[in-house]
Structures are given as structure tokens and as C-alpha cells.
Amino acid sequence: MNPISALFDYCKSTYFLWRLNGVSVLSCAVNLACLVLVYAIIPLESKRYSKLRHRFYYYYPQIKRNKPKALDPLRVIIQTVYLIFVKHDHRDTTNMSILMDFLISKTKAYIIQPVIRLTDLYTQKLHQHIRASERILPQNKRNLSLLFLILSFLASIVAISQPLDVRYQFVFVFLMWITALILKSVKNRVSLMLLIVISIIIATRYIYWRIHSTLLLVDTFTAICAITLLIAEMYTFVILILSYFQVSWVLERKPYPLPKDHSLWPSVDIYIPSYNEPLDVVKPCLLAALDIDWPEDKLNVYMLDDGSREEFETYCKSIGVGYIKRKEHNHAKAGNINHALTKTNGELIAIFDCDHIPTRAFLQMTVGWMVFDKNIALVQTPHHFYSEDPFEKNLSLKGKIPAENALFHDFIQKGNDTWNATMFCGSCAVIRRAPLEEIGGIAVETVTEDAHTSLRLNRKGYSSAFISMPLAAGLATESLADHINQRIRWARGMIQIFRVDNPLLGKGLTIPQRLCFTNAMIHFLHGLPRIIFLIAPLPYLFFNVYVIFATGLAILSYVFPYMLHTTITNQRIQGNKRFYFWGVIYETILSWYITLPTLIALISPKHGKFNVTSKGSSNDKDYFDWTVSKPYIFLIFLNFAGLVYGIYKMIFDPYAEISTILINLGWVSYNLLVLGAAAAVALETKQVRASPRVPCAIDVVLEYSSGNAINAVVKDFSKNGLALELPNFRTKDKMLSDLFYENRTVYITFTKDEINYRFKAQVRFSQNQKIGVRLCLENKQQEIEYIRCTFASAERWTHSFDNLTQDSLAHGIHTLIVFGLNGYLKMLKNAPHVFRELLWVVIKCLMFGFSLLPHPLDMNSKIYRKNAIR
């Protein structure tokens, strides 16, 4: 048959098939025209391209075979570029189509390989120079950090003083970007310092350009909008510089060994303050504290009950824990601890929140530094949580991204330790009694008594230390509302300290200590600047007000390099302690709620009270917290209105500045994704268990009758139950799990430090090779032994960030889009009917844009497996 006739018949049959499936005439016409054009250029009907035809829907998973869309050709082009330049699968070269192989080989041979060879040559030389320089670097890391920051400041002065037009500015930032990419691949401290220098140069030049060239103060409203945005940017610039200084060279402090002579070990009082927490939440902490590995005559455990509850007093007496209460309940937790100071006399004081469970080795891992250096008054360890925080729980992110608190507790505190500015965090810490009494006890003037106390200790000349090992674990905030309330207290308290005991003023602090504490305090002023950034593009879209008076090209040459270098440098510094864009999402969630409290504290620091974070609660169904989400919905409405009106202006306004409108529409779209991701966290997922389960893999022996026992693996545990995985084999024509019927009594033996611990339990469920049991702990000793084998095990909370998903800018953008759209879907599903239509329009627009993005290939898909066999 004539090839043209065959193609005509194929197009005709395809057209009728598509029309039967409901495809519009326009979509059919566009796709068939593109199909004919492709066949005219490439003879796809030949056997040479059979592999490409067979695997087309594997390489282009967003294209539906029998129901194409009008813009599918554009999607094919975007996906093709993505496959060639980003996602070429080297494992599949044997089955790669002739066309794809040809394009990739030529692109590599004539473009990519020469660039790679040149980059490798330059990088090798840079490595050699850096290694040579490291051998002669001074040993004092802190002085080295200061030196680099001074050099970056001087380089910034030179850089901002050079007037460059847009063309030369593009050349300058392009060279800086190439240098930054090369430095990012060099994993040592010197390259990090150079990255910081480049970022500061770009940031300083941007701020200078904003002040010098972009302010158009033609009327009052324009002046207010422009200056407000500039002040917000100046704030972020200051925070950026202080943050670089704080973590430019973190200290990886290890535990210091204690003397072999136990008589030289100091006496320790363990304080466990409580106010309104249930006894079931407090019990594990009390039992774990009693079991801490420390000489018995040098250890005393005290329950500080600020609720004066009889059941607590009775329980403490029954297990041998000291019970302390007070008549006047002033100054909340700080007053509670200060009252206990008058009732005890230990040389050191270890403090744990009542939901934290310390490991047996806690004191041995921390006290060594205090014995070695008598000037160390505080040793802090990270706050680690065995329950999921609201972000992990509501977005199903456990183990996929770093926890929200990881950046501070696992990284920033190491930077603070470099400058002798470790901050007391209220729990999981040891404090020397004499210095604490010297400063008048725990600070009571602010609601963040812990940070204020560490500031006072530093003012008195005492040192502090941070051991970057999770030696205790507790309960995270249960809901987004609880998380916000906790952060409101922190924000208010830190601003109170800034006002009543400003670290920049007064005596006793070094310059680095002043900068570290200042950064920690003014960081909580981010609420108002974040809101400003969320509404900044709207004045231009609605009123043609130039908040940044510059051309689109000028904005691209200054704004995007500033954002890009800040992102690259922060990601290099933070590594996998914080993923791309999550910091913005966290700040957006808090911004509305902390703005007013921080501003009030800034004006009147005495206002505000201590609020306790509830722990150990549960909810029996999913629900969307519309109360918490009101600010996000309001900001979403404003940004969506700006998006629609901007598109309208671009189409119908003959005088519209298209480039400026497009930049502002991009800004608004980014804001909408961030706000959508923030709203996604407000869908509270069901949590039936008040006691969270901790994933693990512990080998145990499971005894189900006299003389009959098997090896099993504990897959997770809680305060009163275990989930076990049984070996996969049958016994007497039955599955092994069939032997463990409901309510059957079994015995579980843990082996720890070559000691066996046997516990009685009852089977609660049995399915396949898994069973769940409820523990029957018969006395205090068994409860302590169970906690010793689970929560208080020294290796239980050792965590690594290496097993997280490898983060990248592309992965961060993809994650932001996914969770942004997911937030709108959640709101749509849970919204009253009157709001659903509006939200549906927003989702359709965003999902259309998302559909144009390239799709990753699924190596496990049926299409892939089917074609791989071929």
C-alpha cells in the first residue's frame, strides 16, 4: 500500500477512535497534525524505530494513548528535553531507541563532554590548591571563620561599588554561578567559606542595587509599599549574614571520658517538672531516670509537680522518686525549678521535660566535660522525638525529610558551640548548681526561661557545650495548633529577652556570643517580613505600583542570582538537615500567628504568659483545621485574585509591561504553592493511639508454650505493646501465626548487654506473619527493664540523615509543587460546598501548569517491564 494512503487511513481511524473517547475536535486536529509532521521528518513506520514506537508511553507517561489533549505535543517536547539532558537512563542503553541514542551521543560528544573535561580540569586544580592551603591553615577555626567573613565584607564593598549595566551584570553573576557550582562539589571547609564569600558579595550587591536604583517614591502609597518591601529584604539580609557567621565552622564535640575513679564523679539531681500532663505520659520518664547508669549514692530523682496532684505523689513514693510541690505556682516552669533548688543539694542538675525518656548512658555521655573543665556550666544535648511532629504526621513524611527541629538541634547548636554560645533548651541538659545559683536560678523575666538562663551564664563568664548525640527522646507536638502555640511562646520569649537583656548591650559576652544570641532572637521577627513577601507582588498587579522600579531584565540579573546563591550556599551548609523550600513553608505557617505577639513583646516585653504544650492526646478521625487555616485561605484568595487579574491585564491591556507582569505572576504562583503546602499541614490525620509506636528491628525470642519458642523480630514498640514479625514457615499444616490466637499468653525475651529480660504479654491480633501483643508488666522492676530494652537503650536514638531521599533543587521544586497542589485538594475535599467551586478553579489552573512538567520514569511500571522483556 502507498505509505501516504496508509498514513491517511491510520489518521482517519485514530481520529474516529479519539472522538468516540470524547476528545475535542481541536485536540484531535493538533495531535494529528503533529503526528503527520513527525512522520514526514522521521520514518517511524520502519523497523529501525520499532523500539521507540513500542516504548513511547513508557518515556511519556503523561500522554494518554486514546485520549490526547491539545497541548500534548508541548508536553512531548518538554519531556524529550528532560530525557536527553536530565534523566538519561544508563541502565537501559540496550533497549534505547535509535533516535534517542543518536541525540544523546551527539549532545554528549560535542557539548557535554568538552564542558565536563574543562570543569574536571579546573576542579582538580582547585582541589590541589585547597589541599595545599589546608595544610598551612591556622588551627584556630574560629579565627579562620572571622577572617573569611572580613574578607567577604571587603570584597562586597569592592563589588557593590562597580557600576555595571545589565549585560555586564549578567556576565558577572554567570561567572559567580559557575564558580559556586564548582565549589559546591568540593567537600571541605575552605570551599564552603568561599561559597559564603560569593553569596555575601551577590547579596550585598543586590541590597545596594535595591537602595540605589529601584526606589520610585512618586506618591505616598508607592513609597509605603516600596520601603516596606525594602525593610523586609534588609531584615532577611541581616539574618543571612548572621546565619552564615553562626554556622560557618561547626564544632563536632564528642563526649569526654569520665575518671575511672567513681569517687571523683559529681552528685547529680534529676529534675522532672510537670504541670498538667497525664501520669501515663510521665511514668516512663521517671522509671528511665531511676535506671540511669550512675552511682546510686550520687543520683537522686525528683518529680517537680506544679499541679499538686495526689496520684503523682502516691506513685512517686511507691517507686522511690522524690516528690516536690510548692504552695505558690508563680513563674511557671522556671519558678518550679527554682523552688526545687532550695530543696536539693546535688552538684549537678539534669533537667528533663516529663515526656522525655533519657537513655541509661545520658550522664556518662555529658558529665565528662563538666568534670574536665570546671568552667563549663551547661551541657546541652539535642531534643529528639519518637513521635511524629504535625508535618511528618499530616503529610506522611516520616523518614522522608528531616524533622522540623533537626536544623537547630542537630546543626545550629554545633555552630553555637564553636562560639561558646550553646543555648539551654529547657530539657535534656545538665547544669552546674553553683553557677546557676550565682545568677539567681532559672531566669523568670521571660517565657523562654531556658535561653535566657544560658545567656546569663555566658555573661558571668561560664562556658557551655553541646553534645550532638540524641540521648533522650520525647513526644512532639500533637497537632498543628499545638505546634503554633508552642512557637508563639518561643517567639514572644526570645523577643522579650532581646528587649530586657539585649545581648548586644551589657557586659560579659564576646562579640561572637552577642551575634549568635542576637540571631537566635531576631530570627523570630520573621513573621511580618514573610507576610510582606506573600503580598508584595499584588500592588503592581492591582494598582501598577512599582515596589521594585526596574526592568524585567534588571530584576532577573539581580533578584534571581541573589536567591540562587543563597539557596546553593544554604544547602551546602545545611546539607540534609533541611531540604529545599521547607524553611519557607515552616515560616509561612507560623508567620501570621507570631507577628502580633512578637511586635507586642518588642514594644511591651512584660506582656504575655507561659502556656504549656499538651502531650499524649489523640483524635479518632481525620479533620481539617479551618480555624488555623483562616490566614492561609485569606492570603490564598489575595494571591489568586492577583494571578487572575495579572493574566487579564496581560491579555487585554495594550500598555501592559509583559515582562514585569510575568515576573510578578511567577512570584504569585510561587506564593500560592507555598500557601497550599502550608494549608496541607492543617489536615489533622487520625491518631487513635495516645502512645505512639516507635519503628525498630530488635531480635527477640518468642515463647508460646512450655518448651516451644521461636526467634522473632520486634518491628515497633510503644509504652505498653509490641508488634512482632514471625519467621515464614508452617508447623503441623498450619501457618505459624495461626498458633497465636487472640488473648493467648506468650513470653518475650530481650537480650541486652548479654543479659536476658523476659516479659509476659497477651496476643491482641494475628495476621500473616505479624502479631501484636499487649505487655503484662507485673512490677516496677519489670517496667524499668522494659524501658531499658526499648526507650532507654543507648543506641535507640542514634540517627543518620544519610538514608534520607537525596535532595536537589529539582527535587525541592517537585516537592513544593506536589505538596502545594495537595493542600488545595485537601481544602477542596473538606471545604463547605460554597467554597468548593472557587477552590476547584485554583486547582485546575495549577494542575494544568503541573501537567506540562516532565515526568520521571517508573522503572517498575508494567510498560517498562513489558518492553524490557522485548
Side-chain angles (χ1 to χ4, degrees):
M1 182 184 291
N2 189 332
I4 297 179
S5 300
L7 180 61
F8 176 78
D9 292 340
Y10 173 75
C11 291
K12 183 179 178 180
S13 61
T14 302
Y15 173 79
F16 285 115
L17 176 63
W18 287 351
R19 290 291 290 152
L20 287 173
N21 288 329
V23 181
S24 66
V25 175
L26 176 62
S27 297
C28 290
V30 171
N31 282 276
L32 286 174
C34 291
L35 184 63
V36 171
L37 180 62
V38 171
Y39 267 88
I41 298 173
I42 306 171
L44 293 177
E45 71 279 1
S46 68
K47 293 182 178 180
R48 181 182 180 88
Y49 296 99
S50 61
K51 294 179 181 178
L52 179 62
R53 294 199 309 274
H54 289 313
R55 306 199 61 196
F56 178 83
Y57 293 101
Y58 164 67
Y59 289 118
Y60 302 89
Q62 65 269 56
I63 308 300
K64 296 182 179 179
R65 181 189 298 269
N66 295 325
K67 204 168 184 179
K69 298 179 181 178
L71 291 181
D72 276 357
L74 177 60
R75 294 185 177 94
V76 170
I77 293 172
I78 294 173
Q79 182 77 356
T80 302
V81 174
Y82 169 75
L83 291 173
I84 293 174
F85 293 100
V86 179
K87 202 64 179 179
H88 173 41
D89 187 5
H90 299 285
R91 295 170 295 180
D92 193 34
T93 54
T94 56
N95 288 328
M96 184 64 70
S97 68
I98 303 298
L99 175 62
M100 199 70 73
D101 274 337
F102 176 79
L103 291 174
I104 291 174
S105 62
K106 295 303 180 184
T107 303
K108 282 185 175 182
Y110 294 105
I111 299 177
I112 297 177
Q113 290 297 340
V115 173
I116 290 176
R117 284 196 296 268
L118 183 62
T119 303
D120 286 344
L121 179 63
Y122 182 73
T123 303
Q124 288 173 7
K125 292 183 177 180
L126 184 63
H127 270 283
Q128 293 172 1
H129 287 297
I130 289 177
R131 289 194 190 101
S133 64
E134 283 186 322
R135 287 194 293 269
I136 61 173
L137 288 176
Q139 295 298 315
N140 193 325
K141 298 175 183 178
R142 293 184 290 184
N143 291 341
L144 182 62
S145 299
L146 285 172
L147 175 63
F148 269 99
L149 290 171
I150 292 172
L151 289 175
S152 65
F153 176 73
L154 296 175
S156 298
I157 294 176
V158 175
I160 65 173
S161 63
Q162 299 302 314
L164 299 175
D165 61 21
V166 174
R167 290 175 300 173
Y168 290 110
Q169 171 68 12
F170 268 115
V171 173
F172 173 72
V173 296
F174 177 75
L175 293 175
M176 292 293 99
W177 176 63
I178 293 297
T179 306
L181 288 181
I182 294 172
L183 288 170
K184 187 181 178 183
S185 66
V186 182
K187 303 298 183 181
N188 57 38
R189 291 294 176 184
V190 177
S191 64
L192 175 59
M193 295 296 181
L194 293 174
L195 268 178
I196 291 174
V197 170
I198 293 174
S199 180
I200 292 176
I201 290 173
I202 297 294
T204 309
R205 184 168 178 80
Y206 169 76
I207 293 297
Y208 177 80
W209 171 74
R210 286 283 286 115
I211 296 172
H212 185 264
S213 307
T214 66
L215 294 179
L216 181 65
L217 311 179
V218 293
D219 57 67
T220 304
F221 182 64
T222 301
I224 291 174
C225 293
I227 293 175
T228 300
L229 178 60
L230 179 61
I231 292 174
E233 290 180 300
M234 291 292 292
Y235 165 81
T236 58
F237 175 73
V238 171
I239 291 294
L240 179 71
I241 302 300
L242 290 177
S243 298
Y244 283 163
F245 168 77
Q246 193 172 18
V247 296
S248 56
W249 203 308
V250 298
L251 179 61
E252 299 281 354
R253 189 191 294 265
K254 303 299 180 184
Y256 196 88
L258 285 161
K260 294 183 179 180
D261 185 358
H262 287 195
S263 64
L264 300 176
W265 294 15
S267 58
V268 181
D269 291 334
I270 296 180
Y271 288 175
I272 303 172
S274 175
Y275 174 61
N276 62 355
E277 296 81 1
L279 183 57
D280 286 342
V281 171
V282 182
K283 279 182 180 180
C285 181
L286 295 173
L287 296 171
L290 285 173
D291 195 42
I292 283 181
D293 193 1
W294 200 255
E296 187 176 350
D297 61 330
K298 292 178 176 287
L299 181 68
N300 293 287
V301 180
Y302 296 97
M303 174 76 202
L304 315 185
D305 183 15
D306 225 14
S308 301
R309 293 157 290 184
E310 291 185 5
E311 60 173 332
F312 276 69
E313 184 174 6
T314 302
Y315 180 75
C316 289
K317 289 180 179 178
S318 69
I319 63 173
V321 168
Y323 179 81
I324 300 177
K325 64 179 181 179
R326 54 184 181 144
K327 294 181 179 179
E328 296 182 1
H329 304 286
N330 55 336
H331 302 306
K333 180 179 176 180
N336 194 10
I337 294 174
N338 288 339
H339 174 259
L341 283 173
T342 64
K343 304 294 183 180
T344 65
N345 54 15
E347 299 173 64
L348 305 179
I349 297 166
I351 300 176
F352 298 100
D353 284 344
C354 62
D355 61 286
H356 274 98
I357 303 175
T359 63
R360 295 197 74 221
F362 181 88
L363 292 179
Q364 293 193 25
M365 294 291 103
T366 54
V367 175
W369 279 103
M370 306 185 89
V371 174
F372 170 74
D373 185 353
K374 300 300 182 182
N375 196 53
I376 292 180
L378 166 70
V379 175
Q380 178 69 55
T381 67
H383 283 196
H384 183 83
F385 301 104
Y386 62 86
S387 66
E388 298 177 341
D389 64 33
F391 304 94
E392 295 173 315
K393 177 167 63 76
N394 297 344
L395 299 178
S396 301
L397 291 174
K398 185 69 173 179
K400 298 178 182 178
I401 67 168
E404 184 268 343
N405 68 314
L407 182 63
F408 178 78
H409 286 288
D410 294 295
F411 185 72
I412 292 178
Q413 281 279 55
K414 297 180 186 178
N416 290 336
D417 197 14
T418 300
W419 307 108
N420 191 23
T422 298
M423 294 183 189
F424 175 38
C425 299
S427 178
C428 309
V430 183
I431 304 179
R432 202 181 296 273
R433 173 184 289 272
L436 185 60
E437 292 178 340
E438 184 181 344
I439 64 171
I442 302 293
V444 298
E445 292 81 3
T446 62
V447 295
T448 47
E449 73 293 332
D450 41 18
H452 197 180
T453 300
S454 55
L455 174 64
R456 287 186 169 179
L457 289 171
N458 283 139
R459 282 196 186 278
K460 286 292 184 179
Y462 291 105
S463 300
S464 54
F466 179 74
I467 305 295
S468 182
M469 295 175 60
L471 297 170
L475 292 171
T477 48
E478 303 287 353
S479 66
L480 182 60
D482 290 336
H483 180 86
I484 290 173
N485 284 331
Q486 183 188 68
R487 295 312 196 264
I488 289 173
R489 173 167 61 85
W490 292 2
R492 179 192 294 123
M494 295 301 276
I495 301 304
Q496 285 177 329
I497 300 174
F498 187 72
R499 285 282 281 108
V500 304
D501 195 5
N502 194 312
L504 295 175
L505 307 175
K507 299 179 180 180
L509 298 178
T510 63
I511 292 178
Q513 286 175 329
R514 295 178 191 274
L515 296 178
C516 287
F517 278 103
T518 298
N519 185 42
M521 294 169 191
I522 65 175
H523 162 76
F524 285 99
L525 292 172
H526 68 73
L528 185 58
R530 181 57 57 191
I531 293 175
I532 292 171
F533 295 142
L534 290 172
I535 62 175
L538 301 181
Y540 177 79
L541 293 175
F542 285 126
F543 310 112
N544 287 329
V545 171
Y546 290 89
V547 291
I548 301 178
F549 183 64
T551 64
L553 281 176
I555 292 174
L556 285 174
S557 67
Y558 281 94
V559 177
F560 283 94
Y562 171 44
M563 297 172 60
L564 185 64
H565 281 276
T566 300
T567 302
I568 289 175
T569 307
N570 275 324
Q571 192 60 24
R572 173 68 173 80
I573 291 173
Q574 298 166 4
N576 46 11
K577 309 298 189 304
R578 175 66 54 85
F579 280 6
Y580 285 99
F581 304 114
W582 280 101
V584 176
I585 295 173
Y586 295 146
E587 288 186 2
T588 299
I589 288 173
L590 297 176
S591 58
W592 185 280
Y593 293 99
I594 68 171
T595 296
L596 187 60
T598 52
L599 293 179
I600 291 176
L602 198 61
I603 298 169
S604 179
K606 294 184 178 180
H607 283 82
K609 62 180 181 179
F610 190 99
N611 57 304
V612 178
T613 306
S614 62
K615 301 288 180 66
S617 60
S618 61
N619 54 281
D620 57 1
K621 64 179 181 178
D622 296 350
Y623 68 94
F624 194 88
D625 196 333
W626 289 102
T627 303
V628 167
S629 299
K630 286 179 182 178
Y632 317 142
I633 296 171
F634 174 68
L635 292 170
I636 287 170
F637 174 78
L638 289 180
N639 278 271
F640 183 68
L643 179 68
V644 173
Y645 191 65
I647 295 173
Y648 171 82
K649 285 175 61 177
M650 193 167 56
I651 297 174
F652 296 105
D653 186 354
Y655 304 104
E657 297 179 27
I658 302 299
S659 62
T660 307
I661 290 178
L662 285 174
I663 289 173
N664 282 278
L665 289 181
W667 192 346
V668 164
S669 300
Y670 172 74
N671 288 343
L672 284 171
L673 289 173
V674 171
L675 289 165
V681 189
L683 180 62
E684 298 291 347
T685 58
K686 180 169 63 176
Q687 181 179 322
V688 179
R689 296 187 180 96
S691 176
R693 291 194 173 262
V694 181
C696 64
I698 307 174
D699 293 326
V700 296
V701 175
L702 179 62
E703 183 182 340
Y704 55 93
S705 64
S706 179
N708 292 311
I710 59 172
N711 294 323
V713 179
V714 177
K715 302 304 290 185
D716 64 58
F717 62 84
S718 66
K719 295 174 184 176
N720 47 25
L722 302 168
L724 298 99
E725 185 176 74
L726 307 179
N728 186 15
F729 64 84
R730 305 173 72 91
T731 175
K732 294 182 180 179
D733 298 326
K734 290 185 177 181
M735 293 297 294
L736 190 58
S737 56
D738 294 339
L739 298 174
F740 298 95
Y741 48 83
E742 188 174 356
N743 293 327
R744 179 167 190 174
T745 299
V746 295
Y747 292 88
I748 302 165
T749 301
F750 289 77
T751 301
K752 182 170 179 58
D753 299 329
E754 300 182 356
I755 301 175
N756 293 331
Y757 300 94
R758 188 168 180 262
F759 305 105
K760 181 180 177 181
Q762 276 192 333
V763 176
R764 307 304 296 171
F765 75 88
S766 176
Q767 184 177 10
N768 298 328
Q769 266 63 55
K770 296 182 180 180
I771 66 170
V773 302
R774 184 177 183 85
L775 291 162
C776 305
L777 303 177
E778 299 172 347
N779 50 49
K780 164 195 160 184
Q781 186 58 35
Q782 279 209 339
E783 290 178 337
I784 290 177
E785 289 174 350
Y786 173 68
I787 290 175
R788 180 185 300 175
C789 294
T790 53
F791 291 97
S793 180
E795 70 278 3
R796 184 68 54 225
W797 311 122
T798 55
H799 60 280
S800 171
F801 296 93
D802 297 335
N803 55 357
L804 295 173
T805 302
Q806 188 63 34
D807 194 32
S808 64
L809 184 58
H811 177 263
I813 293 172
H814 183 268
T815 302
L816 177 63
I817 293 173
V818 169
F819 284 109
L821 297 180
N822 189 36
Y824 292 107
L825 288 172
K826 288 181 177 180
M827 284 193 289
L828 179 64
K829 183 178 179 180
N830 294 274
H833 181 73
V834 71
F835 295 110
R836 290 188 181 181
E837 294 299 325
L838 176 61
L839 289 173
W840 183 247
V841 174
V842 177
I843 293 168
K844 291 293 285 184
C845 293
L846 293 174
M847 291 185 70
F848 168 74
F850 187 53
S851 72
L852 296 176
L853 296 178
H855 285 220
L857 304 182
D858 184 4
M859 303 300 294
N860 297 316
S861 69
K862 294 180 180 179
I863 297 176
Y864 173 78
R865 293 198 299 269
K866 180 180 178 181
N867 288 283
I869 293 173
R870 294 181 182 177

